[in-house]
Amino acid sequence: MPATDDLQKARRFREAALPYLDDVYTLARYLLRDASDAEDAVQECYLRALKHFDSYRGPAMKPWLFAILRNVCNAEYARRAHRPSAIEDTPGAAEQTPLWHETEASPETEVLRSRDAGAIRKLIDALAEPFKETFVLREINNLSYREIAEAVGVPVGTVMSRLARARAMLRAAWMAEEEQTK
Amino acid sequence: MTCDEARILLHALLDNELDAGHAREVEAHIAGCPACAAELSAQREMQRVLADTNLRYTAPADLRARIEASLPQPQRQQPSRRSVLRGFAMGSAVSALAASGVIAVVLRQDDQQRILSEVVSAHLRSLQAGHLTDVVSTDQHTVKPWFNGKLDVAPPVIDLTAQGFTLVGGRLDYIDARAIGAVVYRRRQHVINLFVSQTASTEHRQPKTQTMQGFNCRRWGNRGLNFWAVSDLGADELAEFVDKFEAAMKANVEG
């Protein structure tokens, strides 16, 4: 029979962490791009979170859970040998992509058509890491820059530049797709 | 401020992450730079479209259930080999006093009240999501053997579907610090928990209905077993259930 302490800890954990299950699952879906891998990762994340709950001192539960989930996902990336590696800072081609092009037609004249959620999710899925992660944390999980910095373990300035690049890339891909379907 | 800097900071402006001083600087740059102004409005437009779209995912229910199940739960005690709930509420302290008249009677009623309240609590617990049944089956030949080895009593499991009470399954529960069998029935949307424990007495005890916290509890004793049927059903329908159950059990024994 578990000690009363364990039961109380479980109860506190349930109240503190379970309300964020959809948030954690959403991030896992974007990071892993696979429903069943995401489920496994989220379950592992909650197991680890419970294990380390004693040492949790705040401030916010959501970024803390996200930080744990990232570690789980990184292990999953490592397991998928065929996939390009993790969310870690690997200055790849994307990092060199210019933020904007002078030749671009004036964005004001090109209004984005509303798209269904599935199409937008695909565009987001196609973003390179670590930009996608920053984008999802900000735009879909509604974290502040400081919380993102905390969850990801980078300075706020890095969060800001990654987010700018992620949005520029997303918009470019979106426009390119609309161009094709015209 | 250069355009390169503005192209990064305008996002922080959109997200309300800039302090007043920096915000003014970005706005000043944008006021004098059509290209950056266009970028800002384009990004604002995209943010608006994104905000209007549900891009979140919902965790599947079984994932939630698996995580819930992995948390430490109040464990049910292993069934003791001693008989469960001897008599109607004859705890050992009470039996010691049984010889001495009045006090024993008073204590015994208190004990009965306490057990009634535990029975009702167990019923309430069972109504929480995922707690109703350990074995889910409408087949009495599945539910009955499931109890084997889990209790020192074999709860009679009788299918009463034809009589209007659907067998839903079985569960181990926990009353008076003892493991006890619960057979679960349903009538329309109402759940009936039938708790069964062993008793030393083989005499027949007439069914008697009591009410607690809005639940009806009908208890009776027969063939060395104590029964408590608990439900939010009306007293008449619960009595009907008990009658049907007893009739079916009698038919089983004699047949």
Side-chain angles (χ1 to χ4, degrees), chain A residues 83-94:
Chain A
R83 294 249 173 147
S85 77
I87 318 163
E88 294 310 316
D89 293 49
T90 41

Side-chain angles (χ1 to χ4, degrees), chain B residues 123-146:
Chain B
H123 177 73
L124 276 170
R125 264 200 316 275
S126 77
L127 300 179
Q128 289 170 14
H131 289 90
L132 189 59
T133 48
D134 292 333
V135 55
V136 182
S137 175
T138 54
D139 181 2
Q140 56 184 333
H141 302 295
T142 303
V143 179
K144 191 168 171 57
W146 180 84

